[in-house]
Amino acid sequence: MIMTTFKKELPLLARLWLRLGRLLGKTVLIVLGAGLLVWALAVAWFAWQHRGPVSAQEQIPDGEAAMTQDVIQTAVRIVDQHRESTRYLRDAHAKAHGCVKAQVQVLPQLAQDLRQGVFSEPGKVWQATMRLSNGNAYPQFDSIRDARGMAIKLLEVPGAQLLADRQGQHEQDFVMFSHPNFFVSDVAEYRQNVAAQADGQKIRAFFPGWDPRTWQVRHLFIALATLSPPPESPTQTTYFSVSPYKFGEANAKFRVMPDPDNCPAYALPRQNQDLPNFLRSALNQQLSTDRVPACFVLQVQRQDANKYMPIEDTSIEWREQDSPFETVARITLPPQDFDTPALNLQCDNLSFNPWFGLEAHRPIGGINRLRKAVYEAISDYRHARNTGT
Ligand code: HEM
């Protein structure tokens, strides 16, 4: 009896099952179609919003000075949070792989229109100091995903310095990290984002409210991409200025790329990446143990204001198809012994700042204006507390 009922009902169940399958199939297709449409609309909207021409001048929004003061408070809070019983460290890029001596040679055949500022004299060799670092505010293991920093200070640079109180210093700094764009556009967004992060609220940093118009999904992806796995060595990755600078009359971004072809061939022995400071070991292995120099090129990418190459939005990477990078100098790290207690302390006590330099390379755009006040404040804060250590 039970068997007969089951046999009769089986086709009905099968039909229901098939119908459910068709319904599910249709739903998936509709969702996929709607998703594609939204994606296409978003791409079109993005392209429409992000099209040239743009301004070749800085545009300073109202209230920037007050927002900057807020950021300084947060940055001091971060420095205090990370101090624990150690010295006061940098608010960002706290851990150095080393400070090394470098020579920066302006290209001997540099084109006339690229001869600007410290690149005015073809063939000129500048002595420089370079600090290589991890991006995090805490000196964590090198294997952890992070941005990697490179800061260069050209020494004995003649001419008036940008900052009135730095006239005796004669320097030109270039401060970069290993990703071409930044996870925020401007000062207002930085203030909101970093305050949330300092409170340990990583989600709120990119999703500050319920209103989807405030969600920074693209910027979240930039932040995730910036935190990348470590290179084999600090000499084997590319560093970008991210924010723009004057380049004589023009505006430009710059980058530093490894240039192994201009150095003796060298294969770095495999480092044990489980060791906390293996990037320092890699640098030490090449320059100190194996005594092989490392080479880079320093390049500039000039703004074409007819293209979408904005000054006031650091989340936008200037596209190479809109304006190519052009080499202006070669950088050599000669063989050297940099990893000594005295040199490491000297390295920690140095300050690099995009505002230490000449008018010809003046930092421009909101994020650089913000950096002027914040780097100065944090550098003073930690130096004042580290005296005598
Ligand atoms: C354009 C994007 C940026 C790049 C490429 C960048 C890169 C760097 C690098 C490489 C360092 C380490 C310098 C050294 O070796 O001493 C550094 C330090 C620092 N950065 Fe940035 N940074 C950027 C944006 C910012 C922003 C927006 C802020 C905050 C407003 C900031 C705050 C700091 C501070 C406070 C230090 C430590 C300064 C010191 O105590 O000497 N940075 N940055």
Side-chain angles (χ1 to χ4, degrees), residues 250-325:
N251 303 319
K253 292 189 182 184
F254 51 86
R255 78 174 175 195
V256 168
M257 258 191 2
D259 183 28
D261 293 346
N262 270 295
C263 262
Y266 176 67
L268 176 73
R270 193 156 172 72
Q271 304 294 303
N272 179 354
Q273 301 209 351
D274 293 333
L275 293 177
N277 308 324
F278 83 87
L279 287 172
R280 175 180 286 269
S281 310
L283 197 60
N284 202 42
Q285 172 96 42
Q286 176 167 3
L287 299 179
S288 190
T289 310
D290 296 337
R291 312 225 58 94
V292 179
C295 291
F296 298 90
V297 281
L298 198 161
Q299 304 181 312
V300 297
Q301 182 189 34
R302 288 180 281 182
Q303 183 196 34
D304 175 350
N306 288 317
K307 303 285 169 45
Y308 194 66
M309 302 176 79
I311 289 175
E312 297 292 345
D313 186 347
T314 38
S315 77
I316 301 297
E317 178 180 359
W318 290 2
R319 294 185 307 180
E320 286 189 62
Q321 71 224 53
D322 288 340
S323 174
F325 278 96

Side-chain angles (χ1 to χ4, degrees), residues 78-152:
I78 294 175
V79 169
D80 282 339
Q81 276 169 10
H82 290 96
R83 179 172 68 92
E84 297 184 340
S85 53
T86 73
R87 286 161 58 81
Y88 283 80
L89 304 172
R90 288 162 169 81
D91 162 62
H93 297 266
K95 177 176 175 178
H97 312 308
C99 276
V100 291
K101 288 196 189 93
Q103 273 120 33
V104 179
Q105 182 183 33
V106 181
L107 275 201
Q109 284 90 30
L110 189 65
Q112 190 68 45
D113 57 340
L114 289 170
R115 296 183 194 172
Q116 307 293 342
V118 292
F119 309 105
S120 298
E121 191 188 326
K124 161 95 188 163
V125 178
W126 298 103
Q127 300 303 321
T129 302
M130 176 187 284
R131 179 174 179 270
L132 296 150
S133 57
N134 281 344
N136 204 278
Y138 188 75
Q140 56 190 13
F141 274 45
D142 292 345
S143 54
I144 297 176
R145 297 178 77 103
D146 201 354
R148 317 291 154 175
M150 175 189 275
I152 308 173

Side-chain angles (χ1 to χ4, degrees), residues 225-243:
T226 305
L227 302 178
S228 53
E232 296 288 312
S233 160
T235 62
Q236 292 184 25
T237 191
T238 299
Y239 301 88
F240 303 82
S241 73
V242 181
S243 53

Side-chain angles (χ1 to χ4, degrees), residues 71 90-93 131 133 149-151 175-177 182 190 240-243 314 350-352 367-368 370-371 374-375 378-379 382:
V71 173
R90 288 162 169 81
D91 162 62
H93 297 266
R131 179 174 179 270
S133 57
M150 175 189 275
V175 185
M176 295 158 276
F177 66 58
F182 203 39
Y190 188 86
F240 303 82
S241 73
V242 181
S243 53
T314 38
L350 278 176
S351 287
F352 294 86
I367 288 296
N368 271 337
L370 172 69
R371 289 166 89 191
V374 178
Y375 281 51
I378 296 303
S379 177
R382 67 183 175 89

